[in-house]
Amino acid sequence: MSAPPLGTLAPIALAEVIDRAALQCRVDRKYVIAVDELPHLLDQLTPYARVLDIDGERSFRYESVYFDTPCLASYHCAAYRRRRRFKVRTRTYLDSAQCWLEVKISGARGRVTKHRLPYLVEDRRTVRSGRGFVDEVLDRESILSDLVGSPLEPVLVTSYRRSTLLLPSTASRVTIDTGLTWQDGDRTLRLPGIAVVETKTSSAPSLVDRVLWQRGNRPVRISKYATGLAALRLDLPDVPWRRTLRRHFRADPSSAFLELAVPTRSEQEASCA
């Protein structure tokens, strides 16, 4: 994302964002929009939002490594819309070389709870040194029974650039992710033309939600782990994200909207027909 749109927003420090809107338990709403739409969105938010600024930078590089069991228990919980779902990942802030091991629990009414443990950057491709923390969280959330004795191995790597906004009036946050790349072994899917906008609120929709609704954008089902894996592996069930996959993650040779390093699901299905 270019600097000028973000440059119109007042800055805020990381400590203040955490203090005012940590939102470890929250409701998330996600949108997929064209990168070209971001300047208009940010222009409308200029009087109301502040942007995370660290040493003059307002866009930061992220890498997440997602872990799952050999039978992909985490993925299938999401694919079959289990009432209680979990994700295990490491998240690395590449610009500051900080890393966290995270366990995210999704529950009723879209509530998301995130548990975090500081982690060594060099350990980000394994949960070995943090397995006790993961098991403790899953046990506390009554999810552990299906995972006893199952290894957790790295399955998918995502990378992107993120900008974070704070809406002070509602103590809510907005993240804007661009340059999204999914990697599963030697298979890679790059999505340079889209932005994933995520609002994080205590419950009620934020100003950003209402602005996006007015422009015809509606929340979509997208998971950086599950949707990415479904896009890369044709054999996996994809019902919750099928509309998102078909609408946004398709190849169009005449457009720069997507740059696909592997065939899309629709192309793979056509070749198998």
Side-chain angles (χ1 to χ4, degrees), residues 10 16 26 35 42 65 88 91 95 103 106 211 250 257 270 272:
E16 190 173 354
R26 64 188 188 235
V35 168
L42 293 171
V65 181
V88 178
R91 167 163 287 175
D95 297 300
V103 182
S106 299
V211 169
R250 64 188 186 280
F257 189 64
C272 294

Side-chain angles (χ1 to χ4, degrees), residues 56-128:
E57 297 295 328
R58 299 185 171 196
S59 177
F60 308 95
R61 295 176 300 144
Y62 281 51
E63 179 193 85
S64 296
V65 181
Y66 289 89
F67 301 86
D68 213 333
T69 66
C71 64
L72 300 180
S74 173
Y75 178 89
H76 284 97
C77 280
Y80 294 115
R81 304 302 295 169
R82 295 280 181 86
R83 188 177 67 86
R84 301 277 288 166
R85 304 184 299 278
F86 74 97
K87 290 179 192 169
V88 178
R89 73 185 180 199
T90 56
R91 167 163 287 175
T92 304
Y93 303 89
L94 296 175
D95 297 300
S96 61
Q98 293 185 340
C99 183
W100 297 82
L101 176 62
E102 301 182 340
V103 182
K104 291 182 71 175
I105 307 296
S106 299
R109 299 186 180 90
R111 303 293 298 185
V112 176
T113 305
K114 185 164 68 174
H115 307 265
R116 309 180 85 200
L117 177 74
Y119 216 57
L120 295 175
V121 172
E122 55 266 33
D123 290 342
R124 68 186 185 277
R125 300 296 174 101
T126 176
V127 296
R128 231 171 270 120

Side-chain angles (χ1 to χ4, degrees), residues 38 43 54 85 93 145 195 202 256:
L38 289 176
D43 282 347
I54 301 177
R85 304 184 299 278
Y93 303 89
S145 58
S202 57

